[in-house]
Amino acid sequence: MREKEFKIFNDHLAMVLHKVESFSAIAAFSVRNGGQSPPPLDSLNFSTSQGDSLENVHSNFEHLAAHLNIDSSRIATCNQVHGDTVEVISSVPNSLPRADALVVAVPGIFPAIKTADCLPILLIDPVRKVSAAVHAGWRGSVLRITRKVVQLMVKWFGTEASDLIAALGPAIGPCCYEVDDTVLIPLRHDLPSSERFVTVNFSSTSDSIDSKKSHRLDIVGLNRFELISLGIPEGNIYSTGLCTSCRPDLFFSHRRDGILSGRHIAITGFRD
Ligand SMILES: [Zn+2]
Protein backbone atom coordinates (compact mmCIF):
# COMPACT_ATOMS: atom_id res chain seq x y z
CA MET A 1 0.00 0.00 0.00
CA ARG A 2 1.16 3.49 -0.80
CA GLU A 3 -0.60 5.61 1.78
CA LYS A 4 2.18 8.19 1.74
CA GLU A 5 1.16 9.40 -1.72
CA PHE A 6 -2.02 10.87 -0.29
CA LYS A 7 -2.05 14.23 1.40
CA ILE A 8 -4.79 15.78 3.46
CA PHE A 9 -5.28 19.45 2.64
CA ASN A 10 -4.66 21.88 5.46
CA ASP A 11 -8.38 22.52 5.73
CA HIS A 12 -9.10 18.79 5.77
CA LEU A 13 -11.50 18.78 2.83
CA ALA A 14 -10.07 15.92 0.81
CA MET A 15 -7.33 13.36 0.35
CA VAL A 16 -5.69 13.91 -3.00
CA LEU A 17 -3.26 11.85 -5.05
CA HIS A 18 -0.61 14.38 -5.98
CA LYS A 19 1.09 12.02 -8.39
CA VAL A 20 -1.56 12.57 -11.09
CA GLU A 21 -1.26 16.36 -11.03
CA SER A 22 1.70 16.12 -13.40
CA PHE A 23 -0.77 14.73 -15.97
CA SER A 24 -3.22 17.63 -15.34
CA ALA A 25 -5.49 15.13 -13.67
CA ILE A 26 -7.15 15.05 -10.28
CA ALA A 27 -7.93 12.16 -7.95
CA ALA A 28 -9.58 13.29 -4.74
CA PHE A 29 -11.55 11.66 -1.93
CA SER A 30 -13.49 14.02 0.31
CA VAL A 31 -13.39 13.67 4.08
CA ARG A 32 -16.30 14.67 6.33
CA ASN A 33 -14.93 17.96 7.62
CA GLY A 34 -15.16 21.52 6.34
CA GLY A 35 -18.72 21.54 5.00
CA GLN A 36 -21.93 23.16 6.16
CA SER A 37 -24.28 20.21 6.79
CA PRO A 38 -25.52 19.92 10.41
CA PRO A 39 -25.21 16.80 12.63
CA PRO A 40 -25.50 13.91 12.12
CA LEU A 41 -24.44 14.66 8.54
CA ASP A 42 -21.66 16.97 9.64
CA SER A 43 -20.38 18.37 7.70
CA LEU A 44 -19.08 17.83 4.14
CA ASN A 45 -22.01 15.69 2.99
CA PHE A 46 -22.79 15.17 -0.70
CA SER A 47 -26.21 13.51 -0.65
CA THR A 48 -29.74 14.72 0.04
CA SER A 49 -31.00 11.14 0.48
CA GLN A 50 -30.55 11.27 4.26
CA GLY A 51 -32.53 14.47 4.73
CA ASP A 52 -29.89 17.11 4.12
CA SER A 53 -30.97 20.24 2.25
CA LEU A 54 -30.14 20.84 -1.38
CA GLU A 55 -28.63 24.15 -0.30
CA ASN A 56 -26.17 22.46 2.07
CA VAL A 57 -25.16 19.83 -0.47
CA HIS A 58 -24.80 22.44 -3.20
CA SER A 59 -22.63 24.57 -0.93
CA ASN A 60 -20.47 21.53 -0.11
CA PHE A 61 -19.99 20.83 -3.81
CA GLU A 62 -18.98 24.47 -4.39
CA HIS A 63 -16.59 24.44 -1.47
CA LEU A 64 -14.79 21.25 -2.47
CA ALA A 65 -14.69 22.20 -6.16
CA ALA A 66 -13.12 25.55 -5.31
CA HIS A 67 -10.40 23.82 -3.32
CA LEU A 68 -9.73 21.40 -6.16
CA ASN A 69 -9.73 24.36 -8.53
CA ILE A 70 -12.45 22.93 -10.75
CA ASP A 71 -15.92 24.14 -11.74
CA SER A 72 -18.59 22.40 -9.64
CA SER A 73 -20.98 22.39 -12.61
CA ARG A 74 -18.51 20.10 -14.41
CA ILE A 75 -18.75 17.35 -11.78
CA ALA A 76 -20.82 14.42 -13.09
CA THR A 77 -22.54 12.05 -10.67
CA CYS A 78 -24.94 9.15 -11.21
CA ASN A 79 -27.85 7.41 -9.58
CA GLN A 80 -26.00 4.55 -7.88
CA VAL A 81 -27.86 1.28 -7.40
CA HIS A 82 -25.11 -1.21 -6.40
CA GLY A 83 -25.20 -2.60 -9.95
CA ASP A 84 -22.64 -3.01 -12.72
CA THR A 85 -23.83 -0.51 -15.32
CA VAL A 86 -20.98 1.57 -16.70
CA GLU A 87 -21.96 4.83 -18.37
CA VAL A 88 -19.68 6.64 -20.82
CA ILE A 89 -20.41 10.37 -20.81
CA SER A 90 -18.97 13.33 -22.71
CA SER A 91 -20.83 16.07 -20.82
CA VAL A 92 -22.58 16.43 -17.48
CA PRO A 93 -25.97 14.73 -18.00
CA ASN A 94 -29.14 16.73 -17.28
CA SER A 95 -30.68 13.75 -15.50
CA LEU A 96 -28.58 11.35 -13.49
CA PRO A 97 -27.82 8.11 -15.35
CA ARG A 98 -28.63 4.92 -13.45
CA ALA A 99 -25.11 3.54 -13.14
CA ASP A 100 -22.34 2.67 -10.70
CA ALA A 101 -19.41 3.79 -12.80
CA LEU A 102 -18.80 6.77 -15.05
CA VAL A 103 -16.15 6.90 -17.76
CA VAL A 104 -15.08 10.20 -19.33
CA ALA A 105 -12.69 10.93 -22.21
CA VAL A 106 -13.31 14.68 -22.30
CA PRO A 107 -10.99 16.95 -20.33
CA GLY A 108 -12.90 19.35 -18.10
CA ILE A 109 -15.63 16.84 -17.18
CA PHE A 110 -15.10 15.21 -13.79
CA PRO A 111 -16.75 11.85 -13.02
CA ALA A 112 -17.62 11.31 -9.37
CA ILE A 113 -18.97 8.60 -7.09
CA LYS A 114 -20.59 8.89 -3.65
CA THR A 115 -19.83 6.42 -0.87
CA ALA A 116 -20.06 5.85 2.88
CA ASP A 117 -18.22 2.50 3.39
CA CYS A 118 -18.24 1.07 -0.14
CA LEU A 119 -14.97 1.39 -2.00
CA PRO A 120 -14.57 4.30 -4.43
CA ILE A 121 -12.05 3.57 -7.19
CA LEU A 122 -10.65 6.24 -9.49
CA LEU A 123 -8.93 5.16 -12.71
CA ILE A 124 -6.75 7.42 -14.80
CA ASP A 125 -5.24 6.76 -18.22
CA PRO A 126 -2.71 9.59 -18.57
CA VAL A 127 -1.85 8.64 -22.16
CA ARG A 128 -5.35 8.82 -23.65
CA LYS A 129 -6.74 11.18 -21.02
CA VAL A 130 -9.55 8.89 -20.02
CA SER A 131 -10.79 8.70 -16.43
CA ALA A 132 -13.35 6.70 -14.50
CA ALA A 133 -15.04 6.74 -11.12
CA VAL A 134 -16.26 3.39 -9.83
CA HIS A 135 -18.56 2.45 -6.94
CA ALA A 136 -17.34 -0.93 -5.72
CA GLY A 137 -19.23 -2.31 -2.74
CA TRP A 138 -19.61 -6.04 -2.26
CA ARG A 139 -22.42 -6.24 -4.83
CA GLY A 140 -20.45 -4.32 -7.43
CA SER A 141 -17.40 -6.45 -6.67
CA VAL A 142 -19.36 -9.68 -7.15
CA LEU A 143 -20.64 -8.25 -10.45
CA ARG A 144 -17.02 -7.47 -11.43
CA ILE A 145 -17.71 -3.80 -12.03
CA THR A 146 -14.04 -2.84 -11.77
CA ARG A 147 -13.16 -5.38 -14.47
CA LYS A 148 -15.98 -4.13 -16.70
CA VAL A 149 -14.80 -0.54 -16.45
CA VAL A 150 -11.20 -1.40 -17.34
CA GLN A 151 -12.31 -3.62 -20.22
CA LEU A 152 -14.54 -0.83 -21.53
CA MET A 153 -11.67 1.68 -21.37
CA VAL A 154 -9.49 -0.75 -23.32
CA LYS A 155 -12.15 -1.48 -25.94
CA TRP A 156 -13.57 2.01 -26.47
CA PHE A 157 -10.55 4.21 -25.96
CA GLY A 158 -7.55 1.98 -26.59
CA THR A 159 -6.37 2.22 -22.99
CA GLU A 160 -3.41 -0.01 -22.16
CA ALA A 161 -3.89 -1.52 -18.72
CA SER A 162 -0.20 -0.99 -18.05
CA ASP A 163 -0.71 2.79 -18.35
CA LEU A 164 -3.54 2.97 -15.84
CA ILE A 165 -3.20 4.58 -12.44
CA ALA A 166 -5.71 3.48 -9.82
CA ALA A 167 -6.60 5.29 -6.61
CA LEU A 168 -8.52 3.32 -4.00
CA GLY A 169 -10.27 5.54 -1.51
CA PRO A 170 -11.35 5.12 2.09
CA ALA A 171 -13.69 2.15 2.64
CA ILE A 172 -14.75 -0.06 5.49
CA GLY A 173 -11.73 -2.20 6.29
CA PRO A 174 -11.33 -5.89 7.18
CA CYS A 175 -11.04 -4.68 10.79
CA CYS A 176 -14.74 -3.75 10.79
CA TYR A 177 -16.48 -5.26 7.77
CA GLU A 178 -18.21 -8.30 9.18
CA VAL A 179 -20.20 -10.16 6.53
CA ASP A 180 -22.67 -13.06 6.60
CA ASP A 181 -24.00 -15.52 4.04
CA THR A 182 -25.86 -12.76 2.21
CA VAL A 183 -22.44 -11.61 1.05
CA LEU A 184 -20.39 -14.81 1.34
CA ILE A 185 -22.58 -17.08 -0.79
CA PRO A 186 -22.63 -14.91 -3.95
CA LEU A 187 -19.01 -13.96 -3.39
CA ARG A 188 -17.87 -17.58 -3.22
CA HIS A 189 -20.10 -18.61 -6.11
CA ASP A 190 -19.21 -15.85 -8.57
CA LEU A 191 -15.74 -14.91 -7.41
CA PRO A 192 -13.92 -17.95 -5.98
CA SER A 193 -10.64 -16.03 -5.75
CA SER A 194 -12.29 -13.75 -3.20
CA GLU A 195 -11.81 -16.41 -0.50
CA ARG A 196 -8.32 -15.13 0.22
CA PHE A 197 -9.84 -11.79 1.21
CA VAL A 198 -12.21 -13.30 3.74
CA THR A 199 -10.90 -13.85 7.25
CA VAL A 200 -12.61 -16.10 9.78
CA ASN A 201 -12.68 -15.12 13.43
CA PHE A 202 -13.57 -17.48 16.27
CA SER A 203 -14.74 -16.41 19.68
CA SER A 204 -12.52 -18.08 22.32
CA THR A 205 -15.19 -17.80 25.00
CA SER A 206 -17.77 -19.76 23.08
CA ASP A 207 -18.84 -23.32 23.98
CA SER A 208 -19.89 -23.86 20.41
CA ILE A 209 -17.22 -22.59 18.06
CA ASP A 210 -19.54 -22.51 15.06
CA SER A 211 -22.06 -20.27 16.73
CA LYS A 212 -19.40 -17.64 17.32
CA LYS A 213 -17.70 -17.83 13.97
CA SER A 214 -17.64 -14.57 12.08
CA HIS A 215 -16.28 -13.51 8.72
CA ARG A 216 -14.71 -10.27 7.60
CA LEU A 217 -14.16 -9.07 4.08
CA ASP A 218 -11.26 -7.03 2.73
CA ILE A 219 -13.04 -5.16 -0.05
CA VAL A 220 -9.97 -3.07 -0.88
CA GLY A 221 -7.73 -6.14 -1.18
CA LEU A 222 -10.30 -7.87 -3.35
CA ASN A 223 -10.46 -4.99 -5.82
CA ARG A 224 -6.74 -4.41 -5.72
CA PHE A 225 -6.28 -8.06 -6.72
CA GLU A 226 -8.76 -7.56 -9.56
CA LEU A 227 -6.84 -4.54 -10.85
CA ILE A 228 -3.53 -6.41 -10.77
CA SER A 229 -5.09 -9.39 -12.57
CA LEU A 230 -6.19 -6.98 -15.32
CA GLY A 231 -2.59 -5.96 -15.93
CA ILE A 232 -2.40 -2.75 -13.96
CA PRO A 233 1.09 -2.57 -12.45
CA GLU A 234 1.11 -2.97 -8.69
CA GLY A 235 3.18 0.19 -8.43
CA ASN A 236 0.40 2.17 -10.14
CA ILE A 237 -2.18 1.27 -7.50
CA TYR A 238 -2.52 3.66 -4.59
CA SER A 239 -4.70 3.36 -1.52
CA THR A 240 -5.59 5.68 1.31
CA GLY A 241 -5.34 2.64 3.57
CA LEU A 242 -7.94 4.07 5.93
CA CYS A 243 -11.07 2.42 7.31
CA THR A 244 -14.21 4.57 7.27
CA SER A 245 -15.68 2.84 10.32
CA CYS A 246 -12.51 3.21 12.42
CA ARG A 247 -12.19 6.95 11.74
CA PRO A 248 -15.30 8.90 12.78
CA ASP A 249 -13.08 11.99 12.87
CA LEU A 250 -12.51 11.74 9.11
CA PHE A 251 -15.26 9.67 7.55
CA PHE A 252 -18.94 8.85 7.43
CA SER A 253 -19.74 5.15 7.79
CA HIS A 254 -23.07 3.57 6.98
CA ARG A 255 -22.17 0.47 8.97
CA ARG A 256 -21.19 2.51 12.02
CA ASP A 257 -23.74 5.34 11.88
CA GLY A 258 -26.76 3.66 10.28
CA ILE A 259 -29.12 5.22 7.78
CA LEU A 260 -28.32 8.76 8.86
CA SER A 261 -24.80 8.57 7.55
CA GLY A 262 -23.52 11.26 5.22
CA ARG A 263 -21.86 10.55 1.90
CA HIS A 264 -18.36 11.34 0.66
CA ILE A 265 -17.50 12.04 -2.92
CA ALA A 266 -14.62 10.71 -4.97
CA ILE A 267 -13.72 12.86 -8.00
CA THR A 268 -11.36 12.36 -10.90
CA GLY A 269 -10.84 13.69 -14.43
CA PHE A 270 -8.51 15.84 -16.47
CA ARG A 271 -8.34 19.62 -16.39
CA ASP A 272 -9.08 21.53 -19.62
ZN1 LIG B 1 -12.07 -0.51 10.83
Coordinates of all heavy atoms in Angstrom, one line a residue, residues 7 11 16 42 104 111 124 134 144 156 203 243 251-252 256 267:
K7 N -2.2 13.1 0.5 CA -2.1 14.2 1.4 C -3.4 14.8 1.8 O -4.3 14.9 1.0 CB -1.2 15.3 0.7 CG 0.2 14.9 0.3 CD 1.1 15.0 1.5 CE 2.6 14.7 1.2 NZ 2.9 14.0 0.0
D11 N -7.0 22.3 5.2 CA -8.4 22.5 5.7 C -9.2 21.2 5.8 O -10.4 21.2 6.1 CB -9.1 23.5 4.9 CG -9.1 23.2 3.4 OD1 -8.6 22.1 3.1 OD2 -9.5 24.0 2.6
V16 N -6.0 13.8 -1.6 CA -5.7 13.9 -3.0 C -4.4 13.2 -3.4 O -3.5 13.1 -2.6 CB -5.6 15.4 -3.5 CG1 -6.9 16.1 -3.2 CG2 -4.4 16.1 -2.8
D42 N -22.7 16.0 9.6 CA -21.7 17.0 9.6 C -20.4 16.4 9.1 O -20.0 15.3 9.5 CB -21.5 17.5 11.1 CG -21.4 16.4 12.1 OD1 -22.1 15.4 12.0 OD2 -20.6 16.5 13.0
V104 N -15.1 8.9 -18.6 CA -15.1 10.2 -19.3 C -13.8 10.3 -20.1 O -12.7 10.0 -19.6 CB -15.2 11.4 -18.3 CG1 -14.9 12.7 -19.0 CG2 -16.5 11.4 -17.6
P111 N -15.9 12.9 -13.5 CA -16.7 11.8 -13.0 C -16.6 11.7 -11.5 O -15.4 11.8 -11.0 CB -16.3 10.6 -13.8 CG -14.9 10.9 -14.2 CD -14.8 12.3 -14.4
I124 N -7.3 6.4 -13.9 CA -6.8 7.4 -14.8 C -5.8 6.8 -15.8 O -4.8 6.2 -15.5 CB -6.0 8.5 -13.9 CG1 -7.0 9.2 -13.1 CG2 -5.2 9.5 -14.8 CD1 -6.4 10.1 -12.0
V134 N -15.6 4.7 -10.0 CA -16.3 3.4 -9.8 C -16.7 3.2 -8.4 O -16.0 3.5 -7.4 CB -15.3 2.2 -10.2 CG1 -16.0 0.9 -10.2 CG2 -14.6 2.5 -11.5
R144 N -18.3 -7.8 -10.7 CA -17.0 -7.5 -11.4 C -17.1 -6.1 -12.1 O -16.6 -5.9 -13.2 CB -16.7 -8.5 -12.5 CG -16.9 -10.0 -12.0 CD -15.9 -10.4 -11.0 NE -14.5 -10.5 -11.4 CZ -13.9 -11.7 -11.8 NH1 -14.6 -12.7 -12.0 NH2 -12.7 -11.7 -12.1
W156 N -13.1 0.8 -25.9 CA -13.6 2.0 -26.5 C -12.5 3.0 -26.7 O -12.6 3.8 -27.7 CB -14.6 2.7 -25.5 CG -16.0 2.0 -25.5 CD1 -16.2 0.7 -25.6 CD2 -17.2 2.7 -25.5 NE1 -17.6 0.5 -25.5 CE2 -18.2 1.7 -25.5 CE3 -17.6 4.0 -25.5 CZ2 -19.6 2.0 -25.5 CZ3 -18.9 4.4 -25.5 CH2 -19.9 3.4 -25.5
S203 N -14.7 -16.9 18.3 CA -14.7 -16.4 19.7 C -14.2 -17.5 20.6 O -14.7 -18.6 20.7 CB -16.2 -16.1 20.0 OG -16.2 -15.9 21.4
C243 N -9.8 3.0 7.1 CA -11.1 2.4 7.3 C -12.1 3.5 7.7 O -11.9 4.2 8.7 CB -11.0 1.3 8.4 SG -12.6 0.7 8.9
F251 N -14.4 10.3 8.5 CA -15.3 9.7 7.6 C -16.7 9.4 8.1 O -16.8 9.1 9.3 CB -14.7 8.3 7.0 CG -13.3 8.5 6.5 CD1 -12.2 7.7 7.0 CD2 -13.0 9.3 5.4 CE1 -11.0 7.9 6.5 CE2 -11.8 9.5 4.9 CZ -10.7 8.7 5.4
F252 N -17.6 9.4 7.2 CA -18.9 8.9 7.4 C -18.8 7.3 7.3 O -17.9 6.8 6.6 CB -19.9 9.3 6.4 CG -20.1 10.8 6.3 CD1 -19.7 11.6 5.2 CD2 -20.7 11.5 7.4 CE1 -19.9 12.9 5.2 CE2 -20.8 12.9 7.4 CZ -20.5 13.6 6.2
R256 N -21.4 2.0 10.7 CA -21.2 2.5 12.0 C -22.3 3.4 12.4 O -22.8 3.3 13.6 CB -19.9 3.3 12.1 CG -19.5 3.8 13.5 CD -18.3 4.8 13.4 NE -18.7 6.0 12.7 CZ -18.0 6.6 11.8 NH1 -16.8 6.2 11.5 NH2 -18.4 7.7 11.2
I267 N -13.7 12.1 -6.7 CA -13.7 12.9 -8.0 C -12.4 12.7 -8.8 O -11.3 12.7 -8.2 CB -13.9 14.4 -7.8 CG1 -15.1 14.7 -6.9 CG2 -14.0 15.1 -9.1 CD1 -15.3 16.1 -6.6

